[in-house]
Amino acid sequence: MARGKARRYNPSSWTCPREDNTTRSRIKDSRNFFQKLPLEVFHLILDNLSVLEVSVVCLASKQMNAYAVDYIGTLAWKRKMMHQNFHSSNFPKQGCLVQHFKDLGVLFKRCTMLLPTKERLKCILHKFSQVPCFLRETCSAPNCIGLSRYGVFLQAIIAGWDEFECQRVFNFLCEVTDLLHKIEAITTTGKPGLKSSEELELRYFCRKVLLDLSPNQSDCQFWLLQLLKPWPLVSQAHLLLILYGPQLSEGNSHSTWPVV
């Protein structure tokens, strides 16, 4: 995009009018308005804002960002915003729940924007570590939608990031979930075609968090490539069968796990 010509300023126009001490103190006081408020009062103000509105507060200044980060770190906020009923069969409300986690993704993306990628991910993981349904090992409910909502949240965070940053996201996920070690253990042992509980856990995590919610085909291909490229061809074929093959357990009976 062509840029317009730079505007020339007269140096004499930079001279500010003289201010007395009263005016200067008023300006200083106005800038520190929120510092004068008790923290509880500021949190009450944020309580009346939506998740997206709080995310806008994070963009106002470093100081306001710090206030917002402190607010979303409170136990009351976590209970209100993050502890959802992921086992409910009330499907009419699922659309609202999806949008809620998209908004949470935008909030965390904005409130951690001043941190390096790895520090951002550590901060986000810490905030979400107390939600059992975001970790497959701690939630075995067959109709749990926690991981799919985690996928919505993650996709909202990385929207617009380049491949290098997304590669770091994938490496971080592998580090905290031991994903590559699990893939190696599953693809080098066991008979392809039979869905053990470990294979179904792997299928559900990869599909719901990384693959199915990708906004376009190229993004899906990127995540699939990250999953496949560390392994030899035979293991890649086994992993593809786990991810996209028929969802049958031993004895040809349908699995009780969610269809993905």
Side-chain angles (χ1 to χ4, degrees):
M1 181 181 295
R3 298 178 180 270
K5 293 183 178 179
R7 182 178 175 184
R8 294 182 179 180
Y9 291 93
N10 185 349
S12 62
S13 65
W14 297 353
T15 305
C16 298
R18 298 181 62 183
E19 298 173 342
D20 56 26
N21 292 334
T22 304
T23 304
R24 288 177 181 175
S25 63
R26 287 176 180 173
I27 293 175
K28 184 177 180 180
D29 289 343
S30 66
R31 290 176 179 173
N32 296 330
F33 173 77
F34 289 105
Q35 287 183 336
K36 297 179 179 181
L37 289 177
L39 191 59
E40 294 81 4
V41 175
F42 187 71
H43 285 184
L44 285 175
I45 295 174
L46 295 179
D47 275 337
N48 288 279
L49 302 180
S50 68
V51 173
L52 281 182
E53 288 170 338
V54 175
S55 74
V56 174
V57 171
C58 296
L59 301 176
S61 66
K62 285 186 179 181
Q63 188 178 60
M64 296 300 289
N65 186 292
Y67 286 149
V69 169
D70 181 72
Y71 166 69
I72 66 178
T74 62
L75 183 60
W77 185 87
K78 289 180 181 179
R79 288 175 176 173
K80 177 182 177 182
M81 293 295 179
M82 296 171 61
H83 288 202
Q84 302 286 342
N85 182 9
F86 296 114
H87 304 161
S88 174
S89 59
N90 191 2
F91 291 106
K93 293 185 178 180
Q94 294 305 317
C96 297
L97 193 57
V98 169
Q99 187 60 49
H100 174 72
F101 277 90
K102 284 183 180 178
D103 294 345
L104 283 177
V106 174
L107 170 60
F108 277 85
K109 185 175 187 174
R110 290 175 174 176
C111 74
T112 60
M113 63 183 177
L114 300 177
L115 300 175
T117 300
K118 192 167 185 177
E119 292 302 316
R120 296 176 81 174
L121 295 171
K122 283 183 179 179
C123 174
I124 293 166
L125 179 68
H126 175 72
K127 300 294 184 184
F128 273 53
S129 61
Q130 297 180 357
V131 183
C133 292
F134 290 157
L135 301 173
R136 194 62 193 174
E137 294 82 356
T138 58
C139 180
S140 58
N143 60 339
C144 180
I145 59 172
L147 279 182
S148 62
R149 297 304 171 260
Y150 184 78
V152 169
F153 172 81
L154 181 64
Q155 293 297 332
I157 288 178
I158 66 176
W161 289 14
D162 59 28
E163 285 194 4
F164 177 75
E165 291 297 315
C166 290
Q167 176 69 61
R168 298 181 71 176
V169 172
F170 179 78
N171 293 339
F172 183 81
L173 282 176
C174 290
E175 179 182 336
V176 298
T177 63
D178 203 19
L179 180 60
L180 294 183
H181 183 266
K182 292 177 182 178
I183 292 176
E184 181 181 20
I186 292 172
T187 57
T188 56
T189 60
K191 184 178 179 180
L194 293 179
K195 296 294 184 291
S196 65
S197 60
E198 292 81 8
E199 288 184 343
L200 289 170
E201 287 179 5
L202 176 63
R203 174 191 179 107
Y204 193 68
F205 180 86
C206 294
R207 290 281 298 272
K208 289 302 182 183
V209 176
L210 298 174
L211 300 171
D212 290 358
L213 295 173
S214 297
N216 52 61
Q217 186 176 4
S218 61
D219 285 352
C220 182
Q221 290 173 348
F222 169 82
W223 295 116
L224 187 58
L225 178 62
Q226 305 311 309
L227 291 167
L228 293 176
K229 69 180 181 181
W231 315 113
L233 191 60
V234 173
S235 296
Q236 289 182 13
H238 190 175
L239 181 56
L240 284 173
L241 182 63
I242 292 172
L243 295 178
Y244 293 105
Q247 192 173 349
L248 298 176
S249 61
E250 189 172 3
N252 293 331
S253 60
H254 287 282
S255 170
T256 59
W257 289 70
V259 176
V260 291

